[in-house]
Amino acid sequence: MEREKGTAQPVLILAIETSCDETSVAVVKDGNEVLSNLISSQIETHRAFGGVVPEVASRKHVEVITLVIEEALSVAGVEPEELTAIAVTQGPGLVGALLVGVVAAKSLALAWGKPLIGTHHIAGHIYANRLVTELKYPCMTLVVSGGHTELVQMEREGEFRIIGRTRDDAVGEAYDKVARALGFPYPGGPHVDRLAREAEEAVPLPRVWLEPDSYDFSFSGLKSAVLNVVNQSRMKGLTPDVAGIARGFQESVVEVLVEKAIRAVKSSAAKQLLLCGGVAANGGLRTLLTARCEAEGIELIIPPPVYCTDNAAMIGAAAYVKWIHDGGTPLDMVADPGFSLEKWSV
Ligand code: KG4
Ligand code: ZN
């Protein structure tokens, strides 16, 4: 069912995101105007454990979700009856965490008599770019988050084809593990990013390209190489060159991500390259990707940091695309930790 675009009534979507450690609720108008975007982060709670503890995450979502929903509506100045639909992250993510958002969204949909839009988390990260500018199809997206590293080709609006993915760790996960080995708390990405900037020179580390024509990634070998350097220094009674290691790791990761993304754009008809996910906040990645895209004449779009890490505004943006093409999702839908991006295509 293709809905008519540009009708007089604005499409107002209340979006809920609880797939990991942020409870976020937003109100988004017509898929690109953010009226409110509230984010309640659990990072301080999880830091003591060195990573996200799934059961603690679910409990924290339950504690705050109602308040965050009320606040998001109040900041937006929108009454429930004005809403077009309720969107929620259906997956992928931690099942117990997803469940809290899904149950809240279903309850509101029933109580207020509104349609429900089950939304894909990675489609959300990708469509965070629609909050910045109009997208032109076909386009290519480099998804770099704590749980995902993918190159996604989109021939048209709402259609996703994954042409490359990580074979082991996600890039954010590798950042977090390396940061931990260097003695920094969760989430470690920003620490490694800062250290890399401060370092005078990089400790040499390998680049993992895989087969020459592959768009896949692998980061676990690089992570082991970092651990080896750290352990060898300690065995010799030396203090590891933490900043140099961070810079070497970052240079290796960023070079491979950037070169594969550029090659994917050049070997397709993509009109734009989009960057998204928490690691899109990385200074080294933004700098090199911007420079390479300028040199190659590729239009690059990067969301501001608040829309790179998990947030509900991006879910509202993706849900809008689903809504105008396919309409709502049946109320008996379930939270799906392994939700497929390609199958979610409109
Ligand atoms: O997208 P996101 O908020 O959550 C997932 O859906 O996974 O990404 C979180 C990840 C964490 O691994 C965090 O360390 C990483 O993004 N991250 C960074 C930076 N800021 C956040 N990694 C590298 N450099 C950064 N500046
Ligand atoms: Zn995410």
Side-chain angles (χ1 to χ4, degrees):
M1 171 194 23
E2 180 97 12
R3 274 161 201 267
E4 208 181 313
K5 294 181 198 174
T7 47
Q9 282 291 325
V11 174
L12 281 176
I13 294 179
L14 178 82
I16 301 175
E17 153 65 40
T18 64
S19 68
C20 190
D21 58 350
E22 329 276 355
T23 316
S24 182
V25 183
V27 178
V28 180
K29 185 177 162 189
D30 294 332
N32 58 6
E33 194 181 327
V34 182
L35 303 187
S36 63
N37 182 37
L38 276 96
I39 303 169
S40 167
S41 174
Q42 309 174 356
I43 282 179
E44 288 306 323
T45 310
H46 296 289
R47 190 164 282 150
F49 303 100
V52 178
V53 183
E55 279 161 24
V56 175
S58 315
R59 231 176 303 140
K60 287 275 158 194
H61 286 308
V62 172
E63 280 172 21
V64 300
I65 186 112
T66 316
L67 275 175
V68 184
I69 291 168
E70 280 172 9
E71 191 66 11
L73 284 170
S74 155
V75 171
V78 167
E79 296 296 329
E81 54 271 23
E82 294 174 82
L83 292 171
T84 310
I86 316 288
V88 64
T89 305
Q90 190 174 347
L94 304 169
V95 68
L98 290 166
L99 208 57
V100 179
V102 166
V103 168
K106 284 185 181 180
S107 310
L108 295 180
L110 268 174
W112 294 339
K114 301 289 177 186
L116 182 70
I117 312 169
T119 305
H120 196 283
H121 183 77
I122 298 303
H125 275 300
I126 294 171
Y127 272 100
N129 284 285
R130 198 171 178 279
L131 301 171
V132 179
T133 189
E134 202 180 318
L135 303 189
K136 297 175 203 154
Y137 301 91
C139 60
M140 189 68 66
T141 307
L142 175 61
V143 182
V144 281
S145 78
H148 294 263
T149 308
E150 275 138 26
L151 270 165
V152 182
Q153 188 168 7
M154 293 166 73
E155 284 302 316
R156 56 181 183 83
E157 183 172 75
E159 189 194 63
F160 309 94
R161 193 162 79 83
I162 298 174
I163 61 163
R165 64 179 85 225
T166 181
R167 295 187 185 168
D168 38 62
D169 291 352
V171 63
E173 189 183 351
Y175 262 96
D176 293 338
K177 287 177 179 168
V178 163
R180 196 173 178 165
L182 299 179
F184 291 90
Y186 172 84
H191 294 285
V192 176
D193 194 7
R194 176 180 44 80
L195 285 167
R197 246 192 318 270
E198 289 167 7
E200 273 167 22
E201 56 183 34
V203 168
L205 286 164
R207 270 92 177 118
V208 182
W209 296 104
L210 302 171
E211 305 80 45
D213 58 345
S214 175
Y215 291 118
D216 282 353
F217 303 96
S218 168
F219 298 107
S220 72
L222 177 61
K223 176 194 67 194
S224 304
V226 167
L227 295 180
N228 277 340
V229 173
V230 172
N231 291 337
Q232 276 170 14
S233 302
R234 292 210 175 114
M235 273 168 6
K236 289 182 199 153
L238 303 170
T239 310
D241 172 10
V242 168
I245 295 169
R247 181 158 161 191
F249 169 77
Q250 178 147 309
E251 284 182 356
S252 169
V253 167
V254 166
E255 192 181 317
V256 173
L257 288 173
V258 169
E259 290 316 314
K260 292 208 177 200
I262 298 278
R263 181 158 58 82
V265 172
K266 287 174 73 176
S267 60
S268 71
K271 294 181 178 143
Q272 291 172 327
L273 174 62
L274 322 180
L275 183 66
C276 70
V279 185
N282 185 270
L285 177 57
R286 293 170 88 103
T287 305
L288 184 64
L289 195 56
T290 304
R292 290 285 286 114
C293 283
E294 267 173 27
E296 299 286 347
I298 296 169
E299 187 185 344
L300 172 68
I301 306 167
I302 309 179
V306 65
Y307 298 141
C308 287
T309 44
D310 288 350
N311 67 90
M314 68 184 198
I315 300 302
Y320 173 82
V321 170
K322 189 74 173 169
W323 173 251
I324 58 170
H325 289 279
D326 287 349
T329 312
L331 265 177
D332 62 359
M333 67 84 144
V334 288
D336 183 354
F339 209 31
S340 156
L341 177 64
E342 292 181 345
K343 287 191 189 138
W344 193 78
S345 292
V346 299

